Amino acid sequence: MPRIIACFLLILSLLAMLPPIIAAQARSTPSPNLPINIIQDMDLQAKFKAQSQNDLFADKRSQRPQIVGTVANGESYLDTHFNEGVVAGQWATTTPTQLPLTMAFLQRGRERFNIYCTPCHGYSGAGDGTVNQRALALVSNVDGPVNGTVWVAAKSVHDATVTAQPLGQLFNTVTNGVRNMAGYGSQIPTEDRWAIVAYVRALQRSQNASINDVPADKRGGM
Ligand code: HEC
């Protein structure tokens, strides 16, 4: 090959490397300029980003607090007893007054408890549900944790630390979960969560009942 052609090819191949080098450099170096944006769509428009400063308002916040007297569109959460199990900053000790404690209410609670809670807590609430039994069987197959996993058993609702809890705290556990237990606020409607809590109380009482808890006409031969 004549030397001049070899030189020409060499220069050509060196030049061919320039565009990718420039592109790589442009991609890896931050620039204050906006990228070339041929199809704009709605990419660029005047807006205030969350948490950014806005000199229009005295407190310079872009995010505006709710205007006093704003009415909730949909569910209202002003009733903290019903929605959070909290009365005057303390855990509620009663069920909300709009949910009368009838036998039908407790039976609804039993039905919902049996659906949502028994897999882990068992039908009596003692923490011996099938999920728990299966997990214990798996964990005890080998010495120590399986795959780096440890099993936190569902707590018995008859544990002294749980029986001592006010209803509102139980309601909060069902709604938001506790430590390793997930919350059911998004799956179980509020009224049903209260029904479950009322039924848990009934379960707790069933394990610590005295003869005085049994109506006189139901005491059999005693
Ligand atoms: C997927 C398994 C699972 C389900 C389903 C489940 N729990 Fe739990 N629950 C747990 C575990 C695990 C703990 C203990 C959490 C810990 O100690 O980290 C627990 C703890 C609790 C406690 C004790 C809270 C405390 O303060 O110590 C209560 C009360 C309770 N659950 C009630 C319920 C009720 C009511 C339901 C049904 C709505 C339910 N759980 C459904 C796994 C479950």
Side-chain angles (χ1 to χ4, degrees), residues 9 15 20 23 25 42 44 52 61 66 70 82 87 114 155 166 176 180 186 188 199 219:
L9 285 179
L15 282 178
Q25 199 260 350
M42 292 170 72
L44 306 173
S52 67
R61 287 193 288 176
Q66 270 173 4
T70 302
F82 180 68
V87 175
N114 287 352
K155 203 159 171 179
N176 300 314
N180 287 284
S186 57
I188 310 179
Y199 179 65
R219 288 185 197 169

Side-chain angles (χ1 to χ4, degrees), residues 195-215:
I196 289 174
V197 165
Y199 179 65
V200 168
R201 258 298 181 268
L203 275 180
Q204 289 173 336
R205 196 161 168 195
S206 75
Q207 300 300 302
N208 293 291
S210 74
I211 190 64
N212 295 329
D213 291 310
V214 185

Side-chain angles (χ1 to χ4, degrees), residues 112-113 116-121 131 151-157 161-162 165 169-170 173-174 178-182 184 188 196 200:
R112 298 291 109 181
F113 180 91
Y116 288 105
C117 317
T118 51
C120 299
H121 288 277
V131 167
W151 174 246
V152 177
K155 203 159 171 179
S156 166
V157 300
T161 58
V162 183
Q165 290 178 7
Q169 191 174 355
L170 292 176
T173 296
V174 178
V178 64
R179 301 184 299 277
N180 287 284
M181 180 188 138
Y184 286 82
I188 310 179
I196 289 174
V200 168

Side-chain angles (χ1 to χ4, degrees), residues 39-133:
I39 301 171
Q40 292 278 326
D41 290 333
M42 292 170 72
D43 290 348
L44 306 173
Q45 49 184 307
K47 61 176 175 286
F48 293 108
K49 292 191 172 164
Q51 314 288 355
S52 67
Q53 180 172 328
N54 185 339
D55 291 331
L56 186 64
F57 299 103
D59 63 6
K60 301 216 186 287
R61 287 193 288 176
S62 292
Q63 283 161 300
R64 305 312 305 156
Q66 270 173 4
I67 295 165
V68 177
T70 302
V71 177
N73 181 5
E75 280 184 70
S76 160
Y77 289 95
L78 296 178
D79 185 348
T80 59
H81 189 174
F82 180 68
N83 290 298
E84 296 165 23
V86 173
V87 175
Q90 306 284 324
W91 293 125
T93 52
T94 57
T95 47
T97 44
Q98 63 265 48
L99 303 174
L101 271 178
T102 59
M103 189 48 110
F105 187 66
L106 283 174
Q107 268 160 1
R108 173 79 181 168
R110 173 167 64 183
E111 185 197 51
R112 298 291 109 181
F113 180 91
N114 287 352
I115 292 170
Y116 288 105
C117 317
T118 51
C120 299
H121 288 277
Y123 283 91
S124 69
D128 55 354
T130 44
V131 167
N132 187 52
Q133 289 174 26

